[in-house]
Amino acid sequence: MTFRVMLCDHQIPDSYLSKHAPMDPLQILQALNERGRLPVEPIREARAKREVIVPLVLQEIDEFIATGRTRIGEDALFLAFHLLGEWRETAAYRPLASLLRLPSDTLEAVLGDAKTVTTHRVMTAVFDGDPAPLHAIIRDEAADEFVRSRMIQALAMLTLSGAVPRAETTAFLRDCYDRLQPREGCFVWDGWQYAVAWLGLVELKPLVQEAFARGWIDPSWQSFQDFEDDLNHAVAHPDAPPLVPDGELTPFGDTIAELKHWACFQPETAHNDESDVFGGDDLDCDDLAAPWLPNDLPKRNPFRHVGRNDPCPCGSGEKFKKCCLGKDELIARVDARSSVPPADAPLRLEDAGMTRYDPLIPPDPERWSALGEQEQIDLVADYHRHARLRAPNANAHAVIHVVVERQFALGDEIPVRRTVQRLMSEGLDRHEAIHAVGSVLAGHIHDLVRRAEVKADEDPNTAYYAALAALTAEEWLRSG
């Protein structure tokens, strides 16, 4: 999560609670403004004094909207925003709607990646029955484009739940085609087409098709075929939820449970903006660009933008020419057995019978193996894009998923499938288990690249398999 932690002069650390009691409501809110960890005890204090905390939070939100300043700190506002959602505080609906119309940079200081991850869920949780404030955000050209997109999706969520009349939302979405600005390159259109699809509004399909044709919806966000798939699912299964990950379209829930794994609440040594997406020690994001791809994957040069005298992407501090230059032959040796050769004539996605990837469901081994490598990467990247799961390097993140899935498809030939299944029995869901295995793989590659030499008769997979055997769900969750 890209989250700039701001400390105010009034910060009260968590340890204050054990030394001074009781705290007044303002002190409780100021205690929420803590760096590098989720302030669990102040959150519980706020819950216990909710009746007096809510008016003070709303006062601080109004002050921040008016002046850009707050007595409690921007990180505390972030947590208060989510607590209002947890509490289903309908009195907060309109103040939060005004907050979400602030300029993007100002809002970023408070919400960070919550703009794209939780705003829609918080707003559905505090909804007071009137969609007009949501309409105002969506139509506000000066508002953050990602927030506008999420508010359209919030409107769709409320319509699906029956809180907003379907006819009213249909009319609004039709009107959006004529009134939303800007036309091109604005992410609000992505939310618009999703809302049309999720609600099964076949009558608006021609407008969506026209929006794609005019370039209002960037095909890198979503293809028209993807839209049709979502629309057809809604029409065929009117009582089923849209094709999105569990929890994506539910009102925001428990603040501690939902936020405790966010990177901004981990120690800086465990997670920072430069860390890899799986938590491997000191592994730079650039290192994930493809070095551990199986041999049969399309050839990529992960160092194509690195000059001989530039700092090495591995983070060693040495010049590239004195560090990792020339080690590509080592990388190529790593776990060649994880390669699943494609068919002589790779099938298209629709021919193979796979048009979607869901990490919570094991892909059919034959169908998965029949896909071309880039098709697999594209499917994984599409899942994360649709789920709004962000990584510093989306392609690298998808590549790691593909490598682990290809290893998983080998069955008992290597221990990856057994490891994933064991981690799931220990409490992880399948997506988390894939990430846990990916973290081991990333760390293993990093270690190999940093080594000065690997013996010709040494199997580089031995250490990898041993690390998988030692991996536990508890250990991975503790790693941040």
Side-chain angles (χ1 to χ4, degrees):
M1 173 183 174
T2 304
F3 190 76
R4 185 161 65 91
V5 180
M6 302 290 292
L7 296 179
C8 69
D9 293 338
H10 303 283
Q11 179 188 356
I12 300 174
D14 222 4
S15 58
Y16 184 98
L17 295 171
S18 62
K19 300 176 182 178
H20 302 81
M23 291 193 294
D24 65 35
L26 179 60
Q27 289 175 322
I28 293 172
L29 290 176
Q30 289 169 344
L32 296 176
N33 202 68
E34 186 166 347
R35 178 191 295 267
R37 62 188 293 269
L38 187 66
V40 173
E41 290 305 320
I43 289 174
R44 290 172 176 160
E45 285 278 332
R47 287 171 173 169
K49 298 182 178 180
R50 171 181 166 182
E51 290 186 1
V52 292
I53 289 291
V54 168
L56 185 56
V57 169
L58 298 183
Q59 179 183 335
E60 290 299 313
I61 290 173
D62 288 341
E63 178 67 19
F64 186 79
I65 293 170
T67 68
R69 295 190 298 270
T70 172
R71 295 176 296 170
I72 65 175
E74 290 161 347
D75 291 353
L77 276 184
F78 171 89
L79 288 172
F81 175 85
H82 290 91
L83 283 170
L84 293 171
E86 173 187 325
W87 296 337
R88 305 297 189 265
E89 191 59 59
T90 57
Y93 176 60
R94 292 169 192 273
L96 293 186
S98 296
L99 177 72
L100 293 177
R101 294 181 68 175
L102 289 176
S104 180
D105 290 345
T106 303
L107 196 59
E108 176 76 22
V110 174
L111 294 185
D113 277 4
K115 293 191 303 182
T116 59
V117 179
T118 57
T119 51
H120 62 307
R121 299 180 58 216
V122 169
M123 291 303 285
T124 56
V126 301
F127 182 63
D128 71 359
D130 181 8
L134 293 178
H135 294 173
I137 300 172
I138 295 164
R139 288 175 172 148
D140 187 350
E141 187 176 350
D144 182 273
E145 61 182 298
F146 298 102
V147 170
R148 296 172 70 194
S149 178
R150 278 308 206 182
M151 293 307 101
I152 297 186
Q153 294 177 350
L155 186 62
M157 292 167 60
L158 292 165
T159 305
L160 287 169
S161 70
V164 176
R166 181 182 179 88
E168 182 177 344
T169 298
T170 302
F172 174 77
L173 293 174
R174 189 191 307 275
D175 183 68
C176 282
Y177 178 83
D178 296 321
R179 296 181 57 182
L180 282 188
Q181 296 291 336
R183 294 295 199 190
E184 297 181 7
C186 182
F187 205 69
V188 67
W189 291 103
D190 183 70
W192 177 75
Q193 63 85 22
Y194 268 118
V196 172
W198 292 345
L199 295 172
L201 301 179
V202 177
E203 63 269 35
L204 299 188
K205 177 179 175 180
L207 297 184
V208 176
Q209 187 169 13
E210 185 68 20
F212 271 100
R214 295 186 179 207
W216 300 353
I217 303 172
D218 192 315
S220 67
W221 305 338
Q222 171 95 331
S223 71
F224 184 68
Q225 181 60 57
D226 291 332
F227 162 78
E228 286 191 307
D229 290 343
D230 291 337
L231 179 68
N232 292 337
H233 173 81
V235 172
H237 308 281
D239 296 324
L243 292 173
V244 296
D246 288 344
E248 170 72 3
L249 299 184
T250 58
F252 188 78
D254 184 286
T255 300
I256 295 174
E258 296 220 25
L259 300 182
K260 64 183 179 181
H261 296 305
W262 281 43
C264 60
F265 296 119
Q266 311 308 316
E268 290 189 4
T269 54
H271 267 289
N272 57 58
D273 290 342
E274 300 296 327
S275 66
D276 78 281
V277 294
F278 291 101
D281 291 342
D282 298 324
L283 190 61
D284 190 275
C285 293
D286 289 344
D287 288 336
L288 291 174
W292 41 75
L293 292 173
N295 289 340
D296 62 304
L297 286 175
K299 296 300 181 183
R300 293 173 173 83
N301 178 9
F303 306 124
R304 61 190 179 280
H305 299 307
V306 183
R308 290 173 55 84
N309 292 314
D310 290 340
C312 186
C314 77
S316 66
E318 298 287 338
K319 290 185 177 181
F320 179 49
K321 65 183 179 183
K322 293 184 178 181
C323 191
C324 290
L325 180 62
K327 292 187 179 178
D328 53 328
E329 69 278 1
L330 166 63
I331 295 168
R333 292 178 52 201
V334 178
D335 208 322
R337 282 181 289 171
S338 68
S339 172
V340 181
D344 291 339
L347 299 177
R348 296 175 301 166
L349 299 183
E350 56 268 30
D351 293 336
M354 283 192 67
T355 60
R356 291 182 183 275
Y357 168 78
D358 185 342
L360 298 175
I361 302 173
D364 179 89
E366 292 186 5
R367 293 178 175 178
W368 180 252
S369 300
L371 299 177
E373 297 88 349
Q374 190 57 51
E375 291 174 315
Q376 292 175 336
I377 293 170
D378 289 344
L379 279 179
V380 174
D382 284 347
Y383 168 82
H384 287 84
R385 175 167 52 83
H386 293 165
R388 300 299 196 277
L389 301 176
R390 301 175 64 184
N393 186 322
N395 186 66
H397 193 98
V399 167
I400 289 291
H401 265 269
V402 167
V403 173
V404 176
E405 289 288 11
R406 291 163 77 84
Q407 294 175 340
F408 185 94
L410 292 176
D412 292 333
E413 184 177 339
I414 63 174
V416 169
R417 184 172 70 175
R418 293 194 301 273
T419 302
V420 169
Q421 292 171 338
R422 175 173 56 77
L423 292 173
M424 292 174 66
S425 72
E426 294 174 7
L428 299 185
D429 64 31
R430 190 176 183 277
H431 195 180
E432 292 169 332
I434 294 294
H435 277 214
V437 172
S439 70
V440 173
L441 176 61
H444 176 58
I445 295 296
H446 180 255
D447 290 344
L448 284 176
V449 170
R450 295 294 295 273
R451 287 172 60 181
E453 180 180 349
V454 175
K455 297 179 181 179
D457 59 349
E458 179 182 351
D459 183 357
N461 295 309
T462 301
Y464 173 44
Y465 297 159
L468 289 180
L471 179 65
T472 67
E474 182 180 3
E475 173 193 13
W476 181 74
L477 289 171
R478 281 203 312 266
S479 72

